[in-house]
Amino acid sequence: TTTIPFLVGGSRFLVHGPVHTTLKIYNILGQKVRTLVDEERLPGSYEVSWDGKDEKGKEVSSGIYFYQLKTKEYTETRKMALLR
């Protein structure tokens, strides 16, 4: 299991209301492995855990994976290694 910290920001010019946020895991081929977050979040700091399993609950193999945080105004992709 790994913990992924992330920050949901708000616009400086708008009321700081909920922001639709997604955080998804992809394999090296760009195929989606799992969606960890897909909901409205208030601006702030968060953490989410990934247990190394896909959407069906099956353990994925060791290798390089990417997680992508996406909001309406922001997208960030980071690389991680899964070792079993």
Side-chain angles (χ1 to χ4, degrees):
T1 299
T2 188
T3 301
I4 302 169
F6 64 97
L7 180 65
V8 175
S11 171
R12 293 179 290 155
F13 307 108
L14 299 174
V15 175
H16 294 273
V19 178
H20 189 264
T21 305
T22 61
L23 194 141
K24 299 178 181 182
I25 307 291
Y26 295 90
N27 64 19
I28 195 77
L29 300 175
Q31 300 164 323
K32 185 179 75 161
V33 173
R34 187 156 176 197
T35 300
L36 299 177
V37 175
D38 187 5
E39 62 192 17
E40 300 287 319
R41 295 274 177 120
L42 290 172
S45 297
Y46 296 92
E47 290 183 344
V48 66
S49 294
W50 181 45
D51 56 6
K53 296 179 182 177
D54 65 12
E55 297 281 14
K56 297 177 182 177
K58 181 180 174 188
E59 289 187 347
V60 298
S61 61
S62 296
I64 302 296
Y65 292 85
F66 298 90
Y67 63 92
Q68 183 178 70
L69 173 67
K70 192 180 260 190
T71 66
K72 182 178 179 182
E73 298 179 359
Y74 181 77
T75 301
E76 178 180 15
T77 305
R78 297 256 175 125
K79 181 170 56 171
M80 63 182 166
L82 176 66
L83 302 174
R84 296 216 179 263

